[in-house]
Amino acid sequence: MKIQTFTGSPYPLGATFDGEGVNFSLYAEHADAVELCLFDTPEDVTKSTTIRLTERTHQVWHVYVAGLRPGQLYGYRVHGAYDPAQGLRFNPHKLLVDPYAKAISGTLQWNDALFGYDIGHADQDLSFSESDSAPYMPKCIVIDDTFSWEGDQPLRIPMHKSIIYETHVKGFTVTHPDIPEEIRGKYAAIGHPITIDYLKNLGITAIELMPVQHFITDRHLSDKGLTNYWGYNTIGFFAPDVRYATAYTRGEQVVEFKEMVKALHQAGIEVILDVVYNHTGEGNEMGPTLSFRGIDNSSYYRLADEPRYYMDFTGTGNTLNARLPNVLRLIMDSLRYWIQEMHVDGFRFDLASALARELHDVDKLSSFFDVIHQDPVISQVKLIAEPWDIGEGGYQVGEFPPGWAEWNGKYRDCIRDFWIGADSMLGEFADRLMGSSDLYQDDYRTPAASINFVTAHDGFTLHDLVSYNEKHNEANGEDNQDGESHNRSWNCGAEGPTDDEDIIHLRAKQKRNLLTTLFLSQGVPMLVAGDECGRTQQGNNNAYCQDNELSWFDWSAQDHTLLHFTQQLIKLRKAHPIFCRRKWFQGIPIKGIGLEDIAWFLPDGVEMEDSHWQNDFARSLAVFLNGKGIRSLQDDGTKTVDHSFYLLFNAYWEPIKFTLPDEKYGKKWTKILDTNHSNVEPQEQFPASVVVEVDARSIVVLMEGKYE
């Protein structure tokens, strides 16, 4: 085809179709020259056309190509100095992915040509490879952003009313027998009515998708026949990954993703993306040259004092340099794109502490936070941090600024410890149950800053947490050396599967204890897909490379009793604002009532004093939640009023008799939940001051008055 080019514009970055042609724009500050390579098909090993970009505005290279249409395939070659010792790794023999590509045509095929140096050379990465990588690289795709959203608008479900469901696009649907086979494991399957009905019946308000931005599988995994199943290895921050699309050679994955979001929104379910802006899939100095490294290595990555090497706060070999304006712009442009064009409702930031590092220290006043807080688009969606990285001082639970929620790792650890009977847990357990005010109240955040979870994708499933003392990661091919060794788990008497009925009953009860604690805690509960119905990974607590039945949701092996219990538990939480308060408990009398909004009791019915929290051996307590003491208004301006509840926790290995408080707290109590059993329903009633026995390792929930 005859190519006609014009000056073009430096902004927006990436490839932008305007109806008559495409504007291409690339940031490459230290480059000497940039070539745009156009391809006819994804399988092309040679470019059909090369366009030398001659226009440069500041650090941005740009050109407008008339007549190009959506579906056009392209990549870049960037010229400049190859001097790794100075942090420069330009190599025009390598075809590069556009950092702003909205779609990518496929996955890379591992070959030595993908590396900027000669594999096996005595000088290692200081050598220079002249092998062409184009035959092995996926191509970027020009897309048309036009889409009929049919009036779709953000749901804006209040954070304190949110219930998050963490899942994997493929793993959740790939084995479902009622979903059409051709879409199982795809975006379309997440948006299918069968999937949506399941999510609605469960009661969740938001689905949090593990990484769907285009990622790569490390070569060492590919060589072992494994894959990066989890996807925490991003190479395209704007592009929905092709693995989850039914078609993708011409950018169809973008439309399929949008259809999924629209269907979920129509069902009242928000979409949160797990995003990885702390590093890329290019690894350390021995990694491949796929995009950023070859475009302008020193303008994207945090380099060490000896710039041949990378600063690594992520355990992946590199760290994106979020201190630099061009990297900040990349991240912010990406976030805005997913919000405005793809209609997602929020983000969970992987290893977020790495983004907040200024020089070496984590700084909650860093430019990353400043830019987000002033952005009128990004600041209005749900922002969730994984508040740690692997660098020194990287554990930052409770240290992120207002406007952010955090994965509360201290909640996870405390709740696990409490239910396996660890000493000295009573005081911290109370803090975690009531929203972790010790972590979030002093900086004016609310209980919704705490994303409460007992399990996550990384670690044991709920079933495995009560079934294994040790990790069993042999399938990962790392001699069981990978994964966390201290899991705060307990197998209840036997390692792994057992026929012992007593152990089976205890495990079921422990699962109910953990779920009940999670959903009755202040803060935002996060449930991992499958925990509601007993999914197991056979003791593997690091299944990042297992794209198979070990990780997939097994729809044929559901524990329907546990599923029903979880559905009822979520229904209970959503029906009673006392369990999802917008503001903190104060622990002081309510005007006109004479009762505190919350009160803690010993099993003998005596209200707890400061000294009682210090008893190392204590494993049992009760808490009164005053339904008339909720200090926040409803959306219509009326006072929020609920039933009062009395929660009895017994983590001891024998039954405990609890004396109920006197009539001023409640004249009659209805038992609505006992984790020694699997139903959430009204049971017997108790008057004030009587004794109620709570079975070993159990929770009893009492509600004042008649259960509705």
Side-chain angles (χ1 to χ4, degrees):
M1 63 178 292
K2 183 178 180 180
I3 297 294
Q4 187 176 18
T5 64
F6 299 92
T7 300
S9 171
Y11 195 81
L13 289 158
T16 306
F17 173 65
D18 66 1
E20 297 181 357
V22 179
N23 189 82
F24 294 91
S25 176
L26 180 73
Y27 181 98
E29 178 179 356
H30 299 104
D32 294 334
V34 174
E35 293 177 332
L36 171 67
C37 303
L38 304 180
F39 297 84
D40 293 331
T41 70
E43 295 75 27
D44 281 354
V45 296
T46 59
K47 54 193 174 295
S48 62
T49 304
T50 297
I51 300 171
R52 190 95 166 188
L53 275 62
T54 58
E55 296 294 333
R56 180 176 182 177
T57 302
H58 305 302
Q59 302 95 349
V60 178
W61 303 74
H62 50 91
V63 67
Y64 182 89
V65 185
L68 292 188
R69 310 294 299 173
Q72 175 65 56
L73 304 172
Y74 72 100
Y76 287 106
R77 297 182 188 275
V78 181
H79 298 254
Y82 187 81
D83 187 358
Q86 298 302 314
L88 302 173
R89 294 179 179 269
F90 296 103
N91 187 333
H93 301 286
K94 310 305 166 185
L95 186 72
L96 305 173
V97 170
D98 179 1
Y100 278 75
K102 304 299 192 303
I104 298 174
S105 64
T107 57
L108 60 82
Q109 304 171 49
W110 279 108
N111 186 277
D112 289 354
L114 295 172
F115 295 80
Y117 61 94
D118 286 325
I119 297 290
H121 195 284
D123 292 336
Q124 298 183 315
D125 62 303
L126 298 180
S127 63
F128 184 76
S129 168
E130 296 184 358
S131 300
D132 186 2
S133 68
Y136 313 102
M137 281 291 293
K139 314 305 187 287
C140 307
I141 308 172
V142 176
I143 68 161
D144 184 351
D145 283 329
T146 303
F147 180 77
S148 176
W149 280 104
E150 299 181 279
D152 181 73
Q153 295 292 323
L155 297 176
R156 301 200 186 283
I157 297 170
M159 196 64 162
H160 68 285
K161 293 183 178 180
S162 296
I163 299 173
I164 298 173
Y165 190 69
E166 187 197 31
T167 193
H168 187 281
V169 171
K170 180 178 181 180
F172 187 46
T173 62
V174 70
T175 70
H176 201 301
D178 298 327
I179 292 176
E181 186 173 359
E182 63 272 15
I183 68 168
R184 292 177 193 166
K186 310 297 183 182
Y187 300 121
I190 296 290
H192 191 274
I194 293 291
T195 306
I196 289 177
D197 284 347
Y198 179 85
L199 297 173
K200 289 179 67 176
N201 289 334
L202 182 57
I204 59 97
T205 69
I207 186 168
E208 181 177 302
L209 298 177
M210 292 174 65
V212 298
Q213 294 171 324
H214 195 94
F215 62 90
I216 68 168
T217 290
D218 289 319
R219 191 175 196 178
H220 76 275
L221 290 176
S222 181
D223 289 346
K224 291 191 293 186
L226 299 172
T227 187
N228 190 324
Y229 171 70
W230 285 354
Y232 292 92
N233 215 20
T234 310
I235 202 67
F237 292 112
F238 293 77
D241 197 277
V242 301
R243 296 166 181 83
Y244 310 135
T246 54
Y248 50 79
T249 58
R250 294 294 174 181
E252 298 93 337
Q253 61 266 50
V254 177
V255 174
E256 188 172 336
F257 184 92
K258 290 178 177 179
E259 292 284 3
M260 174 195 72
V261 173
K262 183 168 70 171
L264 288 164
H265 281 181
Q266 288 172 348
I269 298 171
E270 293 187 318
V271 179
I272 298 171
L273 298 189
D274 194 337
V275 289
V276 188
Y277 293 108
N278 54 74
H279 75 281
T280 79
E282 291 184 300
N284 62 15
E285 68 277 2
M286 305 305 292
T289 297
L290 308 174
S291 180
F292 307 91
R293 175 173 285 135
I295 293 171
D296 199 339
N297 185 57
S298 62
S299 290
Y300 285 100
Y301 291 116
R302 300 193 67 160
L303 303 182
D305 292 338
E306 187 177 347
R308 174 185 176 184
Y309 304 106
Y310 296 81
M311 298 179 72
D312 181 12
F313 298 110
T314 64
T316 62
N318 67 61
T319 305
L320 273 176
N321 195 348
R323 298 163 53 215
L324 297 177
N326 63 294
V327 176
L328 274 173
R329 178 171 59 183
L330 170 75
I331 295 172
M332 301 306 151
D333 286 350
S334 171
L335 293 170
R336 277 191 295 269
Y337 175 78
W338 287 100
I339 296 167
Q340 294 178 312
E341 292 294 333
M342 309 297 256
H343 283 210
V344 304
D345 303 282
F347 305 94
R348 177 264 188 190
F349 292 80
D350 178 66
L351 300 179
S353 294
L355 295 168
R357 289 184 179 272
E358 284 295 289
L359 292 175
H360 296 277
D361 296 333
V362 178
D363 180 4
K364 67 180 180 180
L365 300 179
S366 74
S367 52
F368 172 71
F369 293 120
D370 291 342
V371 173
I372 281 186
H373 285 161
Q374 61 80 38
D375 190 283
V377 175
I378 303 171
S379 63
Q380 299 307 303
V381 301
K382 291 178 170 66
L383 301 172
I384 302 170
E386 181 185 34
W388 50 78
D389 63 22
I390 68 166
E392 183 178 354
Y395 192 76
Q396 294 288 312
V397 174
E399 298 299 325
F400 275 65
W404 285 78
E406 302 175 15
W407 269 26
N408 190 344
K410 292 185 177 181
Y411 178 94
R412 172 200 59 205
D413 296 344
C414 172
I415 301 308
R416 290 185 180 192
D417 281 343
F418 180 78
W419 284 112
I420 62 176
D423 290 339
S424 303
M425 295 307 302
L426 217 56
E428 187 181 1
F429 177 76
D431 281 337
R432 303 296 160 247
L433 187 70
M434 293 301 119
S436 297
S437 60
D438 59 322
L439 299 177
Y440 304 115
Q441 189 171 14
D442 287 346
D443 59 4
Y444 305 104
R445 285 192 280 178
T446 68
S450 179
I451 305 296
N452 298 329
F453 65 106
V454 176
T455 61
H457 66 270
D458 185 4
F460 281 144
T461 67
L462 181 64
H463 177 84
D464 291 355
L465 188 67
V466 301
S467 303
Y468 294 91
N469 286 348
E470 309 295 336
K471 63 184 180 183
H472 297 269
N473 297 354
E474 291 79 7
N476 296 353
E478 300 179 41
D479 298 322
N480 206 34
Q481 298 301 305
D482 62 305
E484 175 62 55
S485 295
H486 181 49
N487 292 283
R488 294 178 163 88
S489 62
W490 178 42
N491 64 20
C492 297
E495 189 75 356
T498 181
D499 295 327
D500 188 306
E501 291 297 329
D502 290 337
I503 293 176
I504 291 171
H505 173 73
L506 179 55
R507 287 177 177 175
K509 180 160 61 170
Q510 286 287 75
K511 283 185 270 190
R512 293 192 291 268
N513 287 334
L514 291 163
L515 288 169
T516 300
T517 305
L518 175 66
F519 286 108
L520 299 190
S521 293
Q522 303 299 319
V524 181
M526 184 186 79
L527 179 69
V528 177
D531 276 359
E532 72 274 18
C533 51
R535 188 177 74 86
T536 179
Q537 291 178 173
Q538 300 172 27
N540 191 318
N541 73 350
N542 190 35
Y544 75 103
C545 56
Q546 300 294 331
D547 186 5
N548 51 48
E549 290 83 356
L550 188 70
S551 293
W552 298 341
F553 195 118
D554 186 353
W555 291 90
S556 68
Q558 294 184 77
D559 180 343
H560 290 282
T561 300
L562 182 61
L563 174 60
H564 180 70
F565 178 83
T566 309
Q567 291 170 332
Q568 295 301 107
L569 193 55
I570 293 175
K571 184 178 179 181
L572 174 67
R573 177 186 177 88
K574 293 172 74 173
H576 293 284
I578 195 72
F579 298 122
C580 45
R581 290 170 53 110
R582 189 165 58 85
K583 296 183 179 180
W584 298 103
F585 284 101
Q586 300 296 314
I588 57 178
I590 306 301
K591 184 177 180 180
I593 300 175
L595 291 176
E596 297 88 354
D597 54 359
I598 185 171
W600 301 89
F601 292 86
L602 297 170
D604 61 7
V606 174
E607 193 163 352
M608 293 182 69
E609 300 176 357
D610 288 347
S611 60
H612 295 138
W613 297 105
Q614 311 307 319
N615 292 333
D616 290 348
F617 59 86
R619 293 176 176 84
S620 304
L621 79 166
V623 56
F624 166 76
L625 305 179
N626 190 343
K628 298 181 179 62
I630 303 174
R631 289 184 174 85
S632 58
L633 302 178
Q634 300 186 69
D635 293 340
D636 62 3
T638 59
K639 179 176 172 57
T640 302
V641 178
D642 196 3
H643 291 271
S644 295
F645 284 83
Y646 199 69
L647 315 181
L648 299 83
F649 296 91
N650 179 21
Y652 192 55
W653 48 84
E654 292 182 356
I656 296 287
K657 288 180 167 53
F658 283 78
T659 300
L660 300 186
D662 61 39
E663 286 192 357
K664 74 175 182 179
Y665 293 95
K667 294 183 178 181
K668 184 172 290 186
W669 299 93
T670 302
K671 182 195 290 189
I672 60 171
L673 187 155
D674 183 344
T675 59
N676 197 39
H677 308 287
S678 58
N679 295 319
V680 181
E681 59 185 13
Q683 300 166 41
E684 62 262 53
Q685 291 189 328
F686 303 97
S689 303
V690 304
V691 173
V692 176
E693 184 171 277
V694 179
D695 198 68
R697 297 189 174 94
S698 293
I699 303 170
V700 167
V701 176
L702 304 178
M703 189 187 82
E704 182 191 19
K706 185 178 180 181
Y707 181 78
E708 298 173 0

